[in-house]
Amino acid sequence: MSTDVEILDSESVVATRYWHKLEDGRVQCDVCPRFCKLHEGQRGMCFVRGNHNDQIVLTTWGRSSGFCVDPIEKKPLNHYLPGTPILSFGTAGCNLACKFCQNWDISKSRELDTLMDQATPETIAGAAKQLGCRSVAFTYNDPVVFMEYAIDVAQACREQGVGSVAVTAGYICEEPRRELYRHMDAANVDLKAFTEHFYWKVTNGHLQPVLETLLYLKHETSVWFELTTLLIPGANDSEKEIDAMSRWVVDRLGPDVPMHFTAFHPDWKMQDVPRTPAATLIRARKIAIDNGVRYAYTGNVRNEEGDTTYCHHCGATVIGRDRYDLTGWNLDEGGRCKVCGTACAGVFEACPGTWGARRQPVRLANSGT
């Protein structure tokens, strides 16, 4: 990444665009609605963006907590190149503080030792191509906090014919949102709940900026996106909340946006909350379908019906799944149901991938795979 500002003290530290100086001498970061106001040397809540020489810099460019080839369905994306492998990686830090975080060792890391792998965008794109991955995922922690690195990687991937996928909470401001998603091909957005109370008390964030991201993606971009909600017993799993959420999705985003309802397990600061019963996910899926959501799924539990994609017109199975394994494919070359000819929403090719449920860790340090 080139810059015309003062040379910084590390290859991993790069200048950023979205910030401004305040009258009191601090610098405000404008990437996300947290608007961290920082004195010289201070880091934002995400920890990876900070005030260095009276400007906001990113401190983790080119560094990763690890790379792994995953099934695309693990992101989860069920309607974007099904069955294909995706090269996944993250850095460190997050701009939310979810008490239930299941990647807390990465997203809340304050240790640079977490970032063991170093790789340039060109190395990542080349490795994805060499490994047969159709896309690269920015995941494990939110690409919003390392957007400069994510964009550089996405540009390198596009030159190699490799797609880019953001796995994100969608907590981002308008201008950086436009820049980030200009380079993305697909996204899974974590809609953590549908009440401001939950967002503030459990994530230390706000709901409205996430809804604005979803509206932007649907109405102003061609990015394919799906939604995921981790249902936590007693916190965001009421029928009333799921009903309101799914109605909003249909009314404001349309019936073709897939919704994934996934199971919580006790983690980080919510060790005393029980696991989500499978029945809760099945009930949520039914509510969403009854409200007009055409593609609703269950996750983190074994439920073949909740994994499978059905034609919304005739009810035939168009993509059979058993968790991350594809068990059936009944779409024609145009992505239409072979039984009735109705189009299935998504990004499909004539034949699905065959990656299955495999997980393959890889090391890209020193440009090796």
Short mmCIF file of all heavy atoms in Angstrom, two decimals, residues 270-337:
data_model
loop_
_atom_site.label_atom_id
_atom_site.label_comp_id
_atom_site.label_asym_id
_atom_site.label_seq_id
_atom_site.Cartn_x
_atom_site.Cartn_y
_atom_site.Cartn_z
N MET A 270 -20.20 -15.54 28.74
CA MET A 270 -21.55 -16.10 28.90
C MET A 270 -21.46 -17.61 29.13
O MET A 270 -22.15 -18.40 28.49
CB MET A 270 -22.43 -15.75 27.70
CG MET A 270 -22.67 -14.25 27.55
SD MET A 270 -23.83 -13.80 26.23
CE MET A 270 -25.39 -14.24 27.00
N GLN A 271 -20.60 -17.98 30.06
CA GLN A 271 -20.39 -19.40 30.36
C GLN A 271 -21.59 -20.01 31.10
O GLN A 271 -21.74 -21.23 31.13
CB GLN A 271 -19.14 -19.56 31.23
CG GLN A 271 -17.86 -19.06 30.59
CD GLN A 271 -17.23 -20.07 29.65
OE1 GLN A 271 -17.69 -21.20 29.54
NE2 GLN A 271 -16.18 -19.67 28.95
N ASP A 272 -22.41 -19.16 31.72
CA ASP A 272 -23.51 -19.66 32.53
C ASP A 272 -24.81 -19.82 31.75
O ASP A 272 -25.84 -20.19 32.33
CB ASP A 272 -23.75 -18.72 33.72
CG ASP A 272 -24.03 -17.28 33.28
OD1 ASP A 272 -23.67 -16.93 32.13
OD2 ASP A 272 -24.60 -16.51 34.07
N VAL A 273 -24.78 -19.54 30.45
CA VAL A 273 -25.98 -19.67 29.61
C VAL A 273 -25.95 -21.03 28.93
O VAL A 273 -24.92 -21.43 28.39
CB VAL A 273 -26.03 -18.54 28.56
CG1 VAL A 273 -27.26 -18.69 27.66
CG2 VAL A 273 -26.04 -17.17 29.25
N PRO A 274 -27.06 -21.76 28.93
CA PRO A 274 -27.06 -23.10 28.33
C PRO A 274 -26.99 -23.06 26.81
O PRO A 274 -27.24 -22.02 26.17
CB PRO A 274 -28.39 -23.70 28.79
CG PRO A 274 -29.27 -22.51 29.00
CD PRO A 274 -28.38 -21.43 29.53
N ARG A 275 -26.64 -24.18 26.23
CA ARG A 275 -26.64 -24.32 24.77
C ARG A 275 -28.05 -24.10 24.21
O ARG A 275 -29.04 -24.36 24.90
CB ARG A 275 -26.15 -25.71 24.35
CG ARG A 275 -24.67 -25.95 24.60
CD ARG A 275 -24.27 -27.36 24.22
NE ARG A 275 -22.85 -27.56 24.38
CZ ARG A 275 -21.95 -27.38 23.41
NH1 ARG A 275 -22.35 -27.02 22.21
NH2 ARG A 275 -20.67 -27.59 23.64
N THR A 276 -28.12 -23.69 22.98
CA THR A 276 -29.42 -23.50 22.32
C THR A 276 -30.00 -24.85 21.93
O THR A 276 -29.35 -25.61 21.20
CB THR A 276 -29.27 -22.64 21.06
OG1 THR A 276 -28.52 -21.47 21.37
CG2 THR A 276 -30.62 -22.26 20.50
N PRO A 277 -31.21 -25.16 22.37
CA PRO A 277 -31.83 -26.41 21.93
C PRO A 277 -32.12 -26.39 20.43
O PRO A 277 -32.44 -25.35 19.86
CB PRO A 277 -33.15 -26.45 22.73
CG PRO A 277 -32.98 -25.48 23.85
CD PRO A 277 -32.05 -24.41 23.33
N ALA A 278 -31.99 -27.54 19.81
CA ALA A 278 -32.30 -27.64 18.37
C ALA A 278 -33.71 -27.19 18.09
O ALA A 278 -34.00 -26.59 17.03
CB ALA A 278 -32.07 -29.07 17.90
N ALA A 279 -34.63 -27.45 19.02
CA ALA A 279 -36.03 -27.06 18.82
C ALA A 279 -36.18 -25.56 18.64
O ALA A 279 -37.07 -25.10 17.90
CB ALA A 279 -36.87 -27.54 20.00
N THR A 280 -35.33 -24.77 19.29
CA THR A 280 -35.40 -23.31 19.15
C THR A 280 -35.06 -22.90 17.72
O THR A 280 -35.71 -22.02 17.13
CB THR A 280 -34.42 -22.64 20.13
OG1 THR A 280 -34.81 -22.96 21.47
CG2 THR A 280 -34.43 -21.13 19.96
N LEU A 281 -34.04 -23.53 17.15
CA LEU A 281 -33.65 -23.21 15.78
C LEU A 281 -34.72 -23.62 14.79
O LEU A 281 -35.03 -22.90 13.83
CB LEU A 281 -32.33 -23.89 15.44
CG LEU A 281 -31.16 -23.66 16.40
CD1 LEU A 281 -29.94 -24.41 15.91
CD2 LEU A 281 -30.85 -22.17 16.53
N ILE A 282 -35.29 -24.79 15.01
CA ILE A 282 -36.35 -25.29 14.12
C ILE A 282 -37.56 -24.37 14.18
O ILE A 282 -38.17 -24.06 13.14
CB ILE A 282 -36.71 -26.74 14.50
CG1 ILE A 282 -35.51 -27.66 14.21
CG2 ILE A 282 -37.95 -27.21 13.75
CD1 ILE A 282 -35.65 -29.05 14.80
N ARG A 283 -37.89 -23.91 15.37
CA ARG A 283 -39.02 -22.99 15.53
C ARG A 283 -38.72 -21.66 14.82
O ARG A 283 -39.58 -21.10 14.13
CB ARG A 283 -39.27 -22.73 17.02
CG ARG A 283 -40.43 -21.79 17.31
CD ARG A 283 -40.39 -21.33 18.76
NE ARG A 283 -39.22 -20.48 18.98
CZ ARG A 283 -38.71 -20.20 20.17
NH1 ARG A 283 -39.22 -20.76 21.26
NH2 ARG A 283 -37.66 -19.41 20.28
N ALA A 284 -37.51 -21.14 14.98
CA ALA A 284 -37.14 -19.88 14.33
C ALA A 284 -37.22 -20.00 12.82
O ALA A 284 -37.71 -19.09 12.13
CB ALA A 284 -35.74 -19.47 14.76
N ARG A 285 -36.74 -21.10 12.31
CA ARG A 285 -36.79 -21.33 10.85
C ARG A 285 -38.23 -21.34 10.37
O ARG A 285 -38.56 -20.73 9.34
CB ARG A 285 -36.10 -22.65 10.51
CG ARG A 285 -36.15 -23.03 9.04
CD ARG A 285 -35.34 -24.29 8.77
NE ARG A 285 -35.45 -24.66 7.37
CZ ARG A 285 -36.40 -25.46 6.88
NH1 ARG A 285 -37.30 -26.00 7.70
NH2 ARG A 285 -36.44 -25.73 5.58
N LYS A 286 -39.12 -21.99 11.11
CA LYS A 286 -40.53 -22.04 10.71
C LYS A 286 -41.16 -20.65 10.74
O LYS A 286 -41.92 -20.28 9.82
CB LYS A 286 -41.30 -22.97 11.63
CG LYS A 286 -42.77 -23.14 11.23
CD LYS A 286 -43.50 -24.10 12.14
CE LYS A 286 -44.92 -24.36 11.62
NZ LYS A 286 -45.72 -23.12 11.45
N ILE A 287 -40.86 -19.87 11.76
CA ILE A 287 -41.41 -18.51 11.84
C ILE A 287 -40.97 -17.70 10.63
O ILE A 287 -41.77 -17.00 10.00
CB ILE A 287 -40.95 -17.83 13.14
CG1 ILE A 287 -41.63 -18.49 14.36
CG2 ILE A 287 -41.28 -16.33 13.12
CD1 ILE A 287 -41.07 -18.02 15.68
N ALA A 288 -39.69 -17.79 10.29
CA ALA A 288 -39.18 -17.03 9.15
C ALA A 288 -39.86 -17.46 7.85
O ALA A 288 -40.27 -16.62 7.04
CB ALA A 288 -37.66 -17.21 9.05
N ILE A 289 -39.99 -18.76 7.65
CA ILE A 289 -40.64 -19.26 6.42
C ILE A 289 -42.10 -18.83 6.38
O ILE A 289 -42.61 -18.38 5.34
CB ILE A 289 -40.49 -20.79 6.34
CG1 ILE A 289 -39.03 -21.16 6.08
CG2 ILE A 289 -41.39 -21.36 5.25
CD1 ILE A 289 -38.75 -22.64 6.17
N ASP A 290 -42.78 -18.92 7.51
CA ASP A 290 -44.18 -18.49 7.57
C ASP A 290 -44.33 -17.00 7.26
O ASP A 290 -45.38 -16.57 6.75
CB ASP A 290 -44.77 -18.79 8.95
CG ASP A 290 -45.01 -20.27 9.18
OD1 ASP A 290 -44.96 -21.05 8.20
OD2 ASP A 290 -45.23 -20.66 10.34
N ASN A 291 -43.30 -16.23 7.55
CA ASN A 291 -43.34 -14.79 7.27
C ASN A 291 -42.87 -14.44 5.87
O ASN A 291 -42.81 -13.26 5.51
CB ASN A 291 -42.48 -14.04 8.29
CG ASN A 291 -43.17 -13.91 9.63
OD1 ASN A 291 -44.39 -14.03 9.72
ND2 ASN A 291 -42.41 -13.65 10.68
N GLY A 292 -42.53 -15.45 5.06
CA GLY A 292 -42.20 -15.20 3.67
C GLY A 292 -40.75 -15.32 3.30
O GLY A 292 -40.39 -15.11 2.13
N VAL A 293 -39.87 -15.65 4.26
CA VAL A 293 -38.46 -15.89 3.94
C VAL A 293 -38.37 -17.18 3.13
O VAL A 293 -38.80 -18.23 3.58
CB VAL A 293 -37.60 -15.98 5.22
CG1 VAL A 293 -36.17 -16.35 4.87
CG2 VAL A 293 -37.65 -14.66 5.99
N ARG A 294 -37.82 -17.12 1.96
CA ARG A 294 -37.80 -18.29 1.07
C ARG A 294 -36.71 -19.29 1.44
O ARG A 294 -36.86 -20.48 1.15
CB ARG A 294 -37.62 -17.83 -0.38
CG ARG A 294 -38.85 -17.12 -0.93
CD ARG A 294 -38.60 -16.53 -2.30
NE ARG A 294 -39.84 -16.02 -2.88
CZ ARG A 294 -39.92 -15.30 -3.99
NH1 ARG A 294 -38.79 -15.00 -4.64
NH2 ARG A 294 -41.08 -14.88 -4.44
N TYR A 295 -35.63 -18.81 2.04
CA TYR A 295 -34.51 -19.69 2.34
C TYR A 295 -34.08 -19.45 3.80
O TYR A 295 -33.43 -18.45 4.11
CB TYR A 295 -33.34 -19.41 1.39
CG TYR A 295 -33.76 -19.33 -0.06
CD1 TYR A 295 -33.82 -18.10 -0.72
CD2 TYR A 295 -34.13 -20.48 -0.75
CE1 TYR A 295 -34.21 -18.02 -2.05
CE2 TYR A 295 -34.53 -20.41 -2.08
CZ TYR A 295 -34.58 -19.18 -2.73
OH TYR A 295 -34.97 -19.10 -4.04
N ALA A 296 -34.46 -20.36 4.66
CA ALA A 296 -34.12 -20.25 6.08
C ALA A 296 -33.45 -21.54 6.52
O ALA A 296 -33.88 -22.64 6.14
CB ALA A 296 -35.37 -19.98 6.92
N TYR A 297 -32.40 -21.40 7.33
CA TYR A 297 -31.55 -22.54 7.68
C TYR A 297 -31.28 -22.59 9.17
O TYR A 297 -31.35 -21.57 9.87
CB TYR A 297 -30.22 -22.45 6.92
CG TYR A 297 -30.38 -22.42 5.42
CD1 TYR A 297 -30.36 -21.21 4.73
CD2 TYR A 297 -30.57 -23.60 4.71
CE1 TYR A 297 -30.51 -21.18 3.35
CE2 TYR A 297 -30.73 -23.58 3.32
CZ TYR A 297 -30.70 -22.37 2.65
OH TYR A 297 -30.87 -22.34 1.29
N THR A 298 -30.93 -23.78 9.65
CA THR A 298 -30.44 -23.96 11.01
C THR A 298 -28.96 -24.28 10.94
O THR A 298 -28.48 -24.86 9.97
CB THR A 298 -31.19 -25.09 11.73
OG1 THR A 298 -31.04 -26.31 10.99
CG2 THR A 298 -32.67 -24.76 11.86
N GLY A 299 -28.22 -23.91 11.99
CA GLY A 299 -26.78 -24.14 11.99
C GLY A 299 -26.24 -24.51 13.35
O GLY A 299 -26.87 -24.26 14.39
N ASN A 300 -25.08 -25.13 13.35
CA ASN A 300 -24.41 -25.63 14.55
C ASN A 300 -25.13 -26.81 15.19
O ASN A 300 -24.82 -27.18 16.32
CB ASN A 300 -24.19 -24.52 15.60
CG ASN A 300 -23.25 -23.44 15.13
OD1 ASN A 300 -22.55 -23.59 14.13
ND2 ASN A 300 -23.23 -22.33 15.84
N VAL A 301 -26.10 -27.36 14.49
CA VAL A 301 -26.75 -28.60 14.91
C VAL A 301 -26.93 -29.46 13.66
O VAL A 301 -26.92 -28.95 12.54
CB VAL A 301 -28.14 -28.36 15.57
CG1 VAL A 301 -27.99 -27.55 16.85
CG2 VAL A 301 -29.10 -27.68 14.59
N ARG A 302 -27.10 -30.74 13.85
CA ARG A 302 -27.33 -31.61 12.70
C ARG A 302 -28.82 -31.68 12.44
O ARG A 302 -29.60 -32.17 13.26
CB ARG A 302 -26.77 -33.00 12.96
CG ARG A 302 -26.74 -33.86 11.72
CD ARG A 302 -25.60 -34.84 11.75
NE ARG A 302 -25.31 -35.39 10.45
CZ ARG A 302 -24.30 -36.18 10.20
NH1 ARG A 302 -23.47 -36.51 11.18
NH2 ARG A 302 -24.09 -36.66 8.99
N ASN A 303 -29.25 -31.15 11.30
CA ASN A 303 -30.66 -31.09 10.94
C ASN A 303 -30.74 -30.98 9.42
O ASN A 303 -30.65 -29.90 8.86
CB ASN A 303 -31.34 -29.89 11.61
CG ASN A 303 -32.79 -29.74 11.18
OD1 ASN A 303 -33.42 -30.69 10.73
ND2 ASN A 303 -33.32 -28.53 11.32
N GLU A 304 -30.86 -32.12 8.78
CA GLU A 304 -30.78 -32.14 7.32
C GLU A 304 -31.84 -31.27 6.66
O GLU A 304 -31.57 -30.58 5.67
CB GLU A 304 -30.89 -33.59 6.82
CG GLU A 304 -30.10 -33.81 5.54
CD GLU A 304 -29.88 -35.28 5.23
OE1 GLU A 304 -29.81 -36.11 6.16
OE2 GLU A 304 -29.78 -35.58 4.02
N GLU A 305 -33.02 -31.25 7.24
CA GLU A 305 -34.07 -30.40 6.67
C GLU A 305 -33.68 -28.93 6.78
O GLU A 305 -33.89 -28.14 5.85
CB GLU A 305 -35.40 -30.63 7.40
CG GLU A 305 -36.55 -29.80 6.84
CD GLU A 305 -37.86 -30.09 7.53
OE1 GLU A 305 -37.92 -31.03 8.34
OE2 GLU A 305 -38.85 -29.37 7.25
N GLY A 306 -33.08 -28.55 7.90
CA GLY A 306 -32.67 -27.18 8.09
C GLY A 306 -31.42 -26.79 7.33
O GLY A 306 -31.09 -25.60 7.23
N ASP A 307 -30.70 -27.78 6.80
CA ASP A 307 -29.51 -27.51 5.98
C ASP A 307 -29.84 -27.39 4.50
O ASP A 307 -29.04 -26.85 3.73
CB ASP A 307 -28.49 -28.66 6.14
CG ASP A 307 -27.87 -28.71 7.52
OD1 ASP A 307 -27.83 -27.67 8.20
OD2 ASP A 307 -27.43 -29.81 7.92
N THR A 308 -30.98 -27.94 4.10
CA THR A 308 -31.29 -28.14 2.69
C THR A 308 -31.99 -26.93 2.08
O THR A 308 -32.76 -26.24 2.74
CB THR A 308 -32.16 -29.40 2.54
OG1 THR A 308 -31.38 -30.54 2.93
CG2 THR A 308 -32.66 -29.59 1.12
N THR A 309 -31.70 -26.69 0.80
CA THR A 309 -32.37 -25.62 0.05
C THR A 309 -33.51 -26.21 -0.75
O THR A 309 -33.32 -27.15 -1.53
CB THR A 309 -31.38 -24.92 -0.90
OG1 THR A 309 -30.30 -24.38 -0.13
CG2 THR A 309 -32.07 -23.80 -1.67
N TYR A 310 -34.69 -25.62 -0.57
CA TYR A 310 -35.89 -26.08 -1.27
C TYR A 310 -36.35 -25.01 -2.26
O TYR A 310 -36.21 -23.81 -2.01
CB TYR A 310 -37.02 -26.37 -0.28
CG TYR A 310 -36.67 -27.44 0.73
CD1 TYR A 310 -36.15 -27.11 1.97
CD2 TYR A 310 -36.84 -28.80 0.42
CE1 TYR A 310 -35.80 -28.09 2.90
CE2 TYR A 310 -36.50 -29.78 1.34
CZ TYR A 310 -35.98 -29.42 2.57
OH TYR A 310 -35.65 -30.39 3.48
N CYS A 311 -36.92 -25.45 -3.36
CA CYS A 311 -37.53 -24.53 -4.32
C CYS A 311 -38.71 -23.83 -3.63
O CYS A 311 -39.59 -24.50 -3.08
CB CYS A 311 -38.02 -25.28 -5.55
SG CYS A 311 -38.91 -24.23 -6.74
N HIS A 312 -38.72 -22.53 -3.65
CA HIS A 312 -39.79 -21.81 -2.96
C HIS A 312 -41.12 -21.90 -3.70
O HIS A 312 -42.17 -21.58 -3.13
CB HIS A 312 -39.40 -20.33 -2.78
CG HIS A 312 -39.35 -19.55 -4.05
ND1 HIS A 312 -38.19 -19.41 -4.79
CD2 HIS A 312 -40.31 -18.87 -4.72
CE1 HIS A 312 -38.44 -18.66 -5.85
NE2 HIS A 312 -39.72 -18.31 -5.84
N HIS A 313 -41.08 -22.38 -4.94
CA HIS A 313 -42.33 -22.48 -5.72
C HIS A 313 -42.97 -23.86 -5.60
O HIS A 313 -44.15 -23.97 -5.25
CB HIS A 313 -42.05 -22.15 -7.18
CG HIS A 313 -43.28 -22.22 -8.04
ND1 HIS A 313 -44.28 -21.27 -7.97
CD2 HIS A 313 -43.67 -23.11 -8.99
CE1 HIS A 313 -45.24 -21.58 -8.82
NE2 HIS A 313 -44.90 -22.69 -9.46
N CYS A 314 -42.17 -24.92 -5.86
CA CYS A 314 -42.77 -26.26 -5.87
C CYS A 314 -42.38 -27.10 -4.67
O CYS A 314 -42.93 -28.19 -4.45
CB CYS A 314 -42.42 -26.99 -7.17
SG CYS A 314 -40.69 -27.54 -7.28
N GLY A 315 -41.40 -26.64 -3.89
CA GLY A 315 -40.99 -27.37 -2.69
C GLY A 315 -39.98 -28.47 -2.92
O GLY A 315 -39.57 -29.15 -1.97
N ALA A 316 -39.54 -28.67 -4.15
CA ALA A 316 -38.56 -29.72 -4.43
C ALA A 316 -37.20 -29.37 -3.82
O ALA A 316 -36.85 -28.20 -3.66
CB ALA A 316 -38.41 -29.90 -5.94
N THR A 317 -36.44 -30.38 -3.47
CA THR A 317 -35.08 -30.16 -3.00
C THR A 317 -34.21 -29.75 -4.17
O THR A 317 -34.10 -30.49 -5.15
CB THR A 317 -34.51 -31.44 -2.36
OG1 THR A 317 -35.25 -31.76 -1.19
CG2 THR A 317 -33.04 -31.26 -1.99
N VAL A 318 -33.59 -28.57 -4.07
CA VAL A 318 -32.70 -28.13 -5.15
C VAL A 318 -31.23 -28.27 -4.77
O VAL A 318 -30.38 -28.49 -5.62
CB VAL A 318 -33.03 -26.69 -5.62
CG1 VAL A 318 -34.36 -26.66 -6.35
CG2 VAL A 318 -33.03 -25.71 -4.46
N ILE A 319 -30.92 -28.12 -3.47
CA ILE A 319 -29.56 -28.39 -2.99
C ILE A 319 -29.69 -29.16 -1.68
O ILE A 319 -30.11 -28.61 -0.66
CB ILE A 319 -28.75 -27.10 -2.74
CG1 ILE A 319 -28.77 -26.18 -3.95
CG2 ILE A 319 -27.30 -27.46 -2.39
CD1 ILE A 319 -28.11 -24.82 -3.71
N GLY A 320 -29.35 -30.44 -1.73
CA GLY A 320 -29.38 -31.24 -0.52
C GLY A 320 -28.08 -31.07 0.26
O GLY A 320 -27.00 -31.00 -0.32
N ARG A 321 -28.20 -30.99 1.59
CA ARG A 321 -27.00 -30.83 2.43
C ARG A 321 -27.13 -31.66 3.68
O ARG A 321 -28.22 -31.83 4.23
CB ARG A 321 -26.78 -29.37 2.85
CG ARG A 321 -26.49 -28.40 1.74
CD ARG A 321 -26.16 -27.01 2.30
NE ARG A 321 -26.11 -26.02 1.24
CZ ARG A 321 -27.16 -25.39 0.76
NH1 ARG A 321 -28.36 -25.64 1.25
NH2 ARG A 321 -27.03 -24.51 -0.21
N ASP A 322 -25.99 -32.14 4.13
CA ASP A 322 -25.85 -32.72 5.45
C ASP A 322 -24.70 -31.96 6.09
O ASP A 322 -23.53 -32.26 5.85
CB ASP A 322 -25.56 -34.22 5.37
CG ASP A 322 -25.45 -34.87 6.74
OD1 ASP A 322 -25.65 -34.16 7.75
OD2 ASP A 322 -25.17 -36.08 6.80
N ARG A 323 -25.05 -30.90 6.82
CA ARG A 323 -24.09 -29.93 7.33
C ARG A 323 -23.29 -29.33 6.16
O ARG A 323 -23.85 -28.65 5.33
CB ARG A 323 -23.19 -30.55 8.40
CG ARG A 323 -23.96 -31.03 9.62
CD ARG A 323 -23.16 -31.02 10.89
NE ARG A 323 -22.93 -29.65 11.35
CZ ARG A 323 -22.24 -29.35 12.45
NH1 ARG A 323 -21.69 -30.32 13.16
NH2 ARG A 323 -22.08 -28.09 12.83
N TYR A 324 -21.97 -29.61 6.05
CA TYR A 324 -21.17 -28.98 5.00
C TYR A 324 -21.02 -29.85 3.76
O TYR A 324 -20.35 -29.45 2.80
CB TYR A 324 -19.78 -28.63 5.55
CG TYR A 324 -19.82 -27.79 6.80
CD1 TYR A 324 -19.03 -28.11 7.89
CD2 TYR A 324 -20.66 -26.68 6.90
CE1 TYR A 324 -19.06 -27.34 9.05
CE2 TYR A 324 -20.70 -25.91 8.05
CZ TYR A 324 -19.90 -26.24 9.12
OH TYR A 324 -19.94 -25.48 10.27
N ASP A 325 -21.62 -31.02 3.75
CA ASP A 325 -21.55 -31.91 2.59
C ASP A 325 -22.79 -31.74 1.72
O ASP A 325 -23.92 -31.77 2.23
CB ASP A 325 -21.45 -33.37 3.05
CG ASP A 325 -20.10 -33.71 3.63
OD1 ASP A 325 -19.08 -33.43 2.97
OD2 ASP A 325 -20.06 -34.25 4.77
N LEU A 326 -22.58 -31.60 0.42
CA LEU A 326 -23.71 -31.57 -0.51
C LEU A 326 -24.15 -32.99 -0.81
O LEU A 326 -23.34 -33.85 -1.15
CB LEU A 326 -23.32 -30.86 -1.81
CG LEU A 326 -22.89 -29.39 -1.70
CD1 LEU A 326 -22.77 -28.79 -3.11
CD2 LEU A 326 -23.82 -28.58 -0.85
N THR A 327 -25.45 -33.23 -0.68
CA THR A 327 -26.00 -34.57 -0.91
C THR A 327 -26.92 -34.62 -2.12
O THR A 327 -27.36 -35.71 -2.51
CB THR A 327 -26.78 -35.05 0.33
OG1 THR A 327 -27.85 -34.11 0.60
CG2 THR A 327 -25.87 -35.13 1.54
N GLY A 328 -27.19 -33.47 -2.71
CA GLY A 328 -28.05 -33.44 -3.89
C GLY A 328 -27.93 -32.12 -4.61
O GLY A 328 -27.62 -31.08 -4.00
N TRP A 329 -28.14 -32.15 -5.94
CA TRP A 329 -28.04 -30.93 -6.76
C TRP A 329 -29.07 -31.02 -7.87
O TRP A 329 -28.96 -31.85 -8.77
CB TRP A 329 -26.64 -30.80 -7.35
CG TRP A 329 -26.42 -29.54 -8.14
CD1 TRP A 329 -26.49 -29.39 -9.49
CD2 TRP A 329 -26.09 -28.25 -7.62
NE1 TRP A 329 -26.23 -28.09 -9.85
CE2 TRP A 329 -25.97 -27.37 -8.71
CE3 TRP A 329 -25.88 -27.76 -6.32
CZ2 TRP A 329 -25.65 -26.02 -8.55
CZ3 TRP A 329 -25.56 -26.42 -6.17
CH2 TRP A 329 -25.44 -25.56 -7.27
N ASN A 330 -30.08 -30.19 -7.78
CA ASN A 330 -31.17 -30.22 -8.76
C ASN A 330 -31.45 -28.84 -9.33
O ASN A 330 -32.60 -28.43 -9.49
CB ASN A 330 -32.43 -30.80 -8.12
CG ASN A 330 -32.30 -32.28 -7.84
OD1 ASN A 330 -32.09 -33.08 -8.75
ND2 ASN A 330 -32.37 -32.65 -6.56
N LEU A 331 -30.36 -28.11 -9.62
CA LEU A 331 -30.45 -26.84 -10.33
C LEU A 331 -29.88 -27.01 -11.73
O LEU A 331 -28.89 -27.73 -11.92
CB LEU A 331 -29.65 -25.75 -9.61
CG LEU A 331 -30.15 -25.31 -8.23
CD1 LEU A 331 -29.16 -24.34 -7.61
CD2 LEU A 331 -31.53 -24.67 -8.33
N ASP A 332 -30.49 -26.36 -12.71
CA ASP A 332 -29.94 -26.43 -14.06
C ASP A 332 -28.84 -25.40 -14.22
O ASP A 332 -28.45 -24.72 -13.26
CB ASP A 332 -31.05 -26.26 -15.11
CG ASP A 332 -31.69 -24.87 -15.11
OD1 ASP A 332 -31.09 -23.92 -14.54
OD2 ASP A 332 -32.78 -24.72 -15.69
N GLU A 333 -28.31 -25.28 -15.44
CA GLU A 333 -27.17 -24.39 -15.67
C GLU A 333 -27.48 -22.94 -15.35
O GLU A 333 -26.58 -22.15 -15.08
CB GLU A 333 -26.69 -24.53 -17.12
CG GLU A 333 -26.09 -25.90 -17.42
CD GLU A 333 -25.55 -25.99 -18.83
OE1 GLU A 333 -25.67 -24.99 -19.57
OE2 GLU A 333 -24.99 -27.04 -19.18
N GLY A 334 -28.75 -22.57 -15.37
CA GLY A 334 -29.14 -21.19 -15.08
C GLY A 334 -29.55 -20.98 -13.63
O GLY A 334 -30.06 -19.90 -13.29
N GLY A 335 -29.35 -21.99 -12.78
CA GLY A 335 -29.73 -21.86 -11.39
C GLY A 335 -31.22 -21.98 -11.15
O GLY A 335 -31.74 -21.46 -10.16
N ARG A 336 -31.90 -22.72 -12.02
CA ARG A 336 -33.35 -22.91 -11.89
C ARG A 336 -33.67 -24.33 -11.43
O ARG A 336 -32.95 -25.28 -11.76
CB ARG A 336 -34.05 -22.63 -13.22
CG ARG A 336 -33.93 -21.18 -13.70
CD ARG A 336 -34.61 -20.99 -15.05
NE ARG A 336 -33.87 -21.73 -16.09
CZ ARG A 336 -32.90 -21.23 -16.83
NH1 ARG A 336 -32.52 -19.96 -16.65
NH2 ARG A 336 -32.29 -21.96 -17.75
N CYS A 337 -34.75 -24.46 -10.70
CA CYS A 337 -35.22 -25.76 -10.24
C CYS A 337 -35.48 -26.67 -11.43
O CYS A 337 -36.19 -26.29 -12.37
CB CYS A 337 -36.49 -25.57 -9.41
SG CYS A 337 -37.34 -27.10 -8.96
#
